[in-house]
């Protein structure tokens, strides 16, 4: 279903954001290959974890950047696991 995020993707994205929250990195930029539904999931998850998220770009370049509160202006690191999802 195009309007759901698989359990495996939810688990992977949750682990990725928890690593960001607990680690030394301040931002993580996700690839533009995420679907609208995956970006929406990330926005909701980031908020639940006390992180800040922002989608930027248009069309095929639209992507989401998640950062720790107060760290939005620093350079983002790119999350890429080789399958289009961090």
């Amino acid at each position: 279903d195009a309007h759901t995020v698989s359990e495996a993707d939810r688990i992977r994205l949750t682990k990725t954001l928890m690593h960001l929250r607990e680690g030394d990195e301040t931002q993580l930029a996700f690839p533009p290959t995420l679907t609208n539904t995956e970006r929406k999931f990330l926005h909701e998850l980031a908020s639940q974890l006390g992180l800040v998220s922002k989608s930027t770009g248009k069309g095929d370049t639209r992507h989401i950047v998640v950062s720790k509160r107060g760290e939005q202006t620093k350079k983002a690191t790119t999350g890429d696991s080789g399958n289009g999802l961090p």
Side-chain angles (χ1 to χ4, degrees):
D1 185 342
H3 298 292
T4 61
V5 179
S6 74
E7 182 177 3
D9 287 341
R10 289 194 312 266
I11 291 168
R12 182 172 51 251
L13 294 170
T14 299
K15 286 181 178 180
T16 300
L17 289 192
M18 290 183 75
H19 178 75
L20 171 66
R21 184 179 72 174
E22 297 166 9
D24 294 333
E25 294 176 334
T26 58
Q27 284 190 337
L28 186 61
F30 288 82
T33 53
L34 295 178
T35 66
N36 290 345
T37 303
E38 290 166 332
R39 283 196 305 272
K40 180 179 178 185
F41 173 79
L42 275 172
H43 283 298
E44 292 170 355
L45 180 61
S47 178
Q48 290 172 4
L49 295 176
L51 300 168
V52 178
S53 60
K54 180 170 178 59
S55 284
T56 59
K58 293 186 179 188
D60 291 343
T61 65
R62 191 145 182 89
H63 66 282
I64 183 172
V65 176
V66 179
S67 58
K68 294 179 180 178
R69 294 202 180 277
E71 301 290 343
Q72 295 91 336
T73 59
K74 295 184 181 175
K75 184 175 170 61
T77 54
T78 301
D80 188 0
S81 63
N83 65 357
L85 295 174

